Amino acid sequence: MEHFDLPELQEMARQIRRDLMKMLMISKSGHSGGPLGLSDIFASLYFSILKIDPKNPTWPERDYFFLSAGHLCPVWYATLARRGFIPLKELSTLRKINGRLQGHPAPAYTHGVPGVEIASGALGQGLSIAVGCAIGLRLDKKPNRVYVLTGDGELDEGQIWEAMMTAGHHKVDNLIAIVDRNNCQIDNRTDKVMELEPLAEKWKSFNWHVLECNGNDIEQFLHTIKQAQELSGKPKVIIAHTFMGKGVSFMEDDYKWHGVPPNEEQGKQALSELAPTKYGDFIEFEWEKQPVEVGAK
Amino acid sequence: MPKLQSTDLKATRLGFGEALVELGRENPNVVVLGGDVTGSVRTDLFMKAFPDRFISVGVAEQDMIGTAAGLAVAGKIPFASTYGEFAVGRPFDQIRQSLAYSDLPVKICASHCGITVGPDGATHQSLEDIAIMRVLPHMTVATPCDYHQTKKMIHASMMWKHPIYIRFFRENTPVFTDVSARFEFGKADTLIEGTDVTVIACGLQVWEAILAEEILASEGISVRLLNMHTIKPLDKDAILKAAKETGAIVTAEDHQRHAGLGGAVAEVLAEQYPTPQEFVAVNDTFGESGKGDELMKKYGIAKDDVVKAVKKVLKRKKS
Ligand SMILES: Cc1ncc(C[n+]2csc(CCOP(=O)(O)OP(=O)(O)O)c2C)c(N)n1
C-alpha cells in the first residue's frame, strides 16, 4: 500500500489533472469534465486507500475497484500510470489504434490495461458487478474490500436500482460505492435531465449506509472513506460532491465539458492554471520548450 | 447403428437442475443466481441443497448478468438462469459488455426456449436467442437435445473458460441419447448414418428428425442425422463432410429461420462448399398460445416438415 501524506496527494491530484489535459490534447477525443473533477478521488484511492500491488495487478489479496462509468477512464489511466500499473509514456496512446488505452476501458486479458477487472462504457452495469464480486469474496470469507465508482447521471439507469436492492437485500457490507455527484451529465445539469433528489434518502430507503462529503477535498474524502470502512451490516455509499472540470477555471461546473477535449489553445490555458509538480509531466510539448509565454504562470 | 428409441419422457430443464446439484457437490465455487423463476427453471434443487450459494436477485435480469460477472471476477463459477427470452432479450447489453467483451466464464442457462413453451404465448417464446447470442465474439452457444445430454452439457460447461449460452426447454420430451455417449462442445453427434441427404438438427428438432428419418427410410431415402448441439463453435468438418458425401442439407430448429442454426450452416456452405439447403424453422413470425406439439405443426417445425424439406432438397440436389 502506498501512503502519501496530504500535501503529496494534493500534488499528485494536480499532476493527474495536468496529465489529463495533455492526454486529451494528444488524443483530440475524450472526456475532460468528469475526469478533472475526479482527480482528487483517484489520487486518494490509488495513493492512500486501495490495497493493491502494481507489480501484481491480480494479487489475490487486492481490493477490487470497478469504474462503472467507463467514459471517465482518462483519469483512471493517468492514475494507473502514476501508480506504476502502466508506463507513463503510454498515456500518449489514449484512444489510438493498436493501443491499450481504449476509449472505454477493457481488462488486460482482452486488449486493455492491468488494473481493469472488466469492461465498462455502457452505463449502469458496474454496481451489479461490484455486488457480485463482493458476494463472491464474502462466500470465501476473504477480507478484500470492493469499491465501485458511478456517475450521477448514470444513476438514471434502471439496473443501478436493481443492484441497489440486491446489495441491500444481501447486506453486502464489504462494498463501498462512490457516486460522483457533480450535477452534470451530457444534455444538461442532472436536475434538468432527470431529478435525482432526494438522493441520499433514496439510497437509505434501499437499506444502504449513506455518507456525503466534498469529493474535491482530499482530507474530507479520506476521512469519509475511513468512516465507511468502519460501518457494517449494510452496503455503504459515499455521495461525493465534486465539480465537473475542477481545476480548470473555464471548465468548472459546466456540463458542456462532459465529453469534449480541450483544443490546443484551451489546453495551454488549462496547463497554465495547473502548476507543474515535482512528479513531472509524461511528455513535454514542443511549445513548452520555448521561452515562457505571456499569461503563463 | 442401433435404432434410436425413446426410453422415457423427461424435461431438459430437470437435467439442468439435477446437474447443478451434482456440480455443487463437486465444486464449492459453483454458485447459482435466481430471478424469481427458480421452481420453473429447476434451480430450486440447488437452492435447497446449497442455500448459501444460491443468490436471489429478484426479477432483475440485467442485475443478474452483472452480479454473475462480478462473481466470476471474484473467482466463482456462476450459473445464471431464467427463461430464454428474459435471459438474452432483456440483458443483451449486459451480456455483450460484462460477459462477452470481458470474456468472463459465466454460464447463461436459458430454460423455456422455443415455441414449445406453448400456452404462455409469443412473449415467452424465445425464437431469436440463438441468433442474438451466436453473433457475439467470445460466446459459446449450445443446446442439448434431451435430458441426458443436458446433464452432460452442464457438467462440461463447468470448467469452460469463456461465456456460454445454453438453451433448453420446459416440456417433458423423449430421452433417447445413450447415457454413456461422450459429450464434447463443438463436436456434432452423428446419430444416424446415411448417403442421400443430411439433416442437421438441434434441440427438440433432433427427435422430430429421428421420426422423419423412419418415414423417409421406409420410402427408400437414406438420411444422415447430425445433432448439432453446439452452434458456436460450429463443427464445420462434420458439415462439410456431410455436404460432400450426401450433397443435400436440411437444417431443423425451434427458432427463427434467419441467423439461427440454419443460418450458421449456410454460412459455412456458402463459403466452402455450396450445397442445396432447406430450412426447417419458424418463418420470420411470432408464435401464439397453444400446446407445444400443435404449435410445432402449425409453425412448420415438426417431423412432417422435415420430411417435406428433405424431399424438396433432393429435387434440387445436383446429380
Ligand atoms: C447505456 C448508456 N447510455 C448512454 C450512454 C452515453 N453516455 C455516456 S456518459 C453519459 C452521461 C453520464 O452522466 P454522468 O454519469 O453524470 O457522468 P459525467 O457527466 O459526470 O461525466 C451518457 C448518457 C452510455 N455510455 N451508456
Side-chain angles (χ1 to χ4, degrees):
Chain A
M1 228 184 302
E2 196 81 51
H3 272 306
F4 274 37
D5 63 19
L6 185 59
E8 283 175 318
L9 287 172
Q10 285 163 338
E11 190 160 358
M12 180 53 80
R14 191 167 80 247
Q15 183 58 53
I16 289 170
R17 290 190 163 94
R18 284 186 63 85
D19 291 343
L20 281 171
M21 289 299 96
K22 290 197 166 186
M23 290 162 73
L24 291 161
M25 286 169 77
I26 297 167
S27 66
K28 300 187 172 63
S29 155
H31 299 72
S32 302
L36 278 171
L38 284 166
S39 301
D40 305 301
I41 287 179
F42 272 78
S44 306
L45 286 171
Y46 277 83
F47 289 89
S48 175
I49 297 164
L50 294 178
K51 191 173 157 189
I52 41 170
D53 179 2
K55 288 190 200 69
N56 185 7
T58 56
W59 182 36
E61 285 170 47
R62 72 189 179 282
D63 286 339
Y64 288 77
F65 174 75
F66 297 99
L67 178 64
S68 186
H71 68 279
L72 300 168
C73 62
V75 68
W76 201 8
Y77 295 151
T79 309
L80 287 171
R82 288 289 159 191
R83 191 67 174 78
F85 281 81
I86 54 174
L88 275 175
K89 287 238 167 343
E90 197 171 341
L91 294 180
S92 319
T93 66
L94 176 67
R95 292 184 168 231
K96 296 256 193 281
I97 193 158
N98 299 326
R100 299 191 295 176
L101 306 193
Q102 298 298 306
H104 294 83
Y109 60 82
T110 61
H111 54 217
V113 292
V116 175
E117 309 275 357
I118 191 169
S120 60
L123 294 170
Q125 303 189 27
L127 191 58
S128 302
I129 291 159
V131 172
C133 183
I135 291 176
L137 294 165
R138 188 171 71 180
L139 279 170
D140 288 342
K141 303 194 166 47
K142 287 188 180 165
N144 317 43
R145 288 200 176 93
V146 179
Y147 297 84
V148 55
L149 192 140
T150 77
D152 52 1
E154 184 182 15
L155 303 182
D156 298 354
E157 286 286 353
Q159 188 188 350
I160 291 278
W161 302 83
E162 297 180 357
M164 276 164 69
M165 257 192 281
T166 301
H169 176 80
H170 291 285
K171 303 184 171 57
V172 184
D173 65 358
N174 49 346
L175 170 68
I176 298 179
I178 303 162
V179 176
D180 177 31
R181 185 69 171 121
N182 63 10
N183 299 295
C184 292
Q185 56 193 110
I186 296 186
D187 279 356
N188 208 320
R189 298 189 66 80
T190 52
D191 62 346
K192 295 284 188 308
V193 178
M194 181 53 64
E195 183 59 87
L196 290 166
E197 296 298 337
L199 186 57
E201 279 77 354
K202 285 184 171 118
W203 285 88
K204 264 180 218 146
S205 72
F206 279 67
N207 298 317
W208 286 62
H209 288 297
V210 184
L211 300 165
E212 298 199 50
C213 72
N214 176 348
N216 290 130
D217 178 330
I218 291 178
E219 198 174 11
Q220 247 197 55
F221 180 70
L222 293 177
H223 177 73
T224 311
I225 285 272
K226 285 255 147 49
Q227 275 182 293
Q229 288 172 344
E230 277 152 27
L231 290 167
S232 64
K234 293 180 192 180
K236 294 152 284 193
V237 61
I238 297 173
I239 299 176
H241 297 272
T242 66
F243 285 105
M244 178 169 274
K246 177 77 181 174
V248 175
S249 60
F250 58 93
M251 296 187 187
E252 270 184 29
D253 205 22
D254 181 355
Y255 72 86
K256 294 198 189 72
W257 279 99
H258 160 93
V260 282
N263 64 25
E264 179 95 6
E265 195 188 330
Q266 292 163 329
K268 283 182 185 171
Q269 174 66 32
L271 288 168
S272 77
E273 294 181 16
L274 298 161
T277 77
K278 66 177 177 190
Y279 303 111
D281 289 349
F282 70 89
I283 190 171
E284 202 183 357
F285 291 137
E286 274 311 309
W287 55 263
E288 288 178 297
K289 294 173 188 159
Q290 312 297 317
V292 181
E293 284 175 46
V294 186
K297 280 182 200 166
Chain B
M1 277 188 169
K3 198 165 139 29
L4 291 158
Q5 275 175 338
S6 168
T7 54
D8 201 355
L9 286 179
K10 267 186 172 180
T12 47
R13 60 177 163 148
L14 179 64
F16 164 64
E18 290 176 359
L20 281 185
V21 175
E22 292 160 13
L23 292 181
R25 270 190 220 115
E26 208 175 290
N27 191 321
N29 281 325
V30 169
V31 293
V32 173
L33 294 103
D36 200 32
V37 289
T38 304
S40 311
V41 302
R42 301 318 311 264
T43 47
D44 55 334
L45 302 172
F46 185 95
M47 181 176 71
K48 283 191 196 104
F50 309 102
D52 297 344
R53 287 191 268 149
F54 179 83
I55 298 149
S56 168
V57 295
V59 199
E61 295 78 13
Q62 304 172 70
D63 185 46
M64 177 155 76
I65 297 299
T67 307
L71 283 158
V73 170
K76 296 284 148 191
I77 305 174
F79 288 78
S81 183
T82 179
Y83 301 164
E85 172 48 24
F86 314 137
V88 307
R90 176 65 56 101
F92 176 72
D93 184 37
Q94 285 76 9
I95 294 173
R96 180 177 183 272
Q97 175 169 288
S98 296
L99 303 189
Y101 183 41
S102 300
D103 201 9
L104 284 174
V106 167
K107 294 94 180 69
I108 309 168
C109 300
S111 181
H112 293 51
C113 288
I115 206 159
T116 52
V117 73
D120 280 335
T123 55
H124 285 53
Q125 291 160 352
S126 162
L127 295 172
E128 301 81 20
D129 52 312
I130 294 177
I132 296 171
M133 288 294 102
R134 84 177 182 88
V135 78
L136 286 172
H138 295 154
M139 185 63 72
T140 296
V141 179
T143 179
C145 63
D146 74 352
Y147 163 87
H148 288 324
Q149 189 163 63
T150 310
K151 278 195 144 179
K152 284 183 214 165
M153 194 178 272
I154 297 300
H155 275 270
S157 76
M158 184 167 77
M159 288 308 177
W160 200 246
K161 292 284 174 241
H162 306 281
I164 181 165
Y165 175 68
I166 299 179
R167 168 189 224 245
F168 47 95
F169 313 92
R170 184 182 69 184
E171 299 300 278
N172 289 329
T173 51
V175 181
F176 58 90
T177 59
D178 181 356
V179 197
S180 60
R182 215 169 132 261
F183 174 83
E184 197 183 325
F185 284 116
K187 282 264 172 297
D189 308 325
T190 305
L191 293 180
I192 301 172
E193 287 289 4
T195 50
D196 296 333
V197 57
T198 301
V199 176
I200 303 177
C202 69
L204 302 184
Q205 272 50 49
V206 175
W207 181 249
E208 296 302 311
I210 289 169
L211 299 178
E213 188 272 342
E214 269 179 44
I215 299 168
L216 291 160
S218 72
E219 298 177 19
I221 298 169
S222 168
V223 177
R224 178 180 302 184
L225 174 59
L226 298 183
N227 168 21
M228 196 59 76
H229 50 69
T230 311
I231 291 143
K232 186 181 182 181
L234 195 60
D235 189 346
K236 292 182 186 168
D237 293 344
I239 295 169
L240 291 171
K241 187 164 179 279
K244 285 172 190 162
E245 292 176 3
T246 69
I249 302 284
V250 168
T251 51
E253 62 198 304
D254 186 354
H255 186 273
Q256 300 287 3
R257 71 186 279 119
H258 299 132
L261 169 68
V265 169
E267 286 163 17
V268 174
L269 295 177
E271 199 168 48
Q272 300 193 36
Y273 198 80
T275 304
Q277 177 182 349
E278 290 293 325
F279 298 72
V280 174
V282 176
N283 195 12
D284 196 17
T285 180
F286 290 107
E288 63 181 291
S289 290
K291 288 197 200 122
D293 52 347
E294 292 171 344
L295 290 166
M296 280 216 277
K297 284 190 193 122
K298 177 162 178 183
Y299 287 86
I301 55 171
K303 68 171 193 296
D304 292 341
D305 303 291
V306 178
V307 170
K308 265 187 249 160
V310 164
K311 291 185 176 167
K312 194 167 168 203
V313 82
L314 284 174
K315 289 201 189 113
R316 294 172 55 203
K317 187 173 163 177
K318 294 164 225 149
S319 42

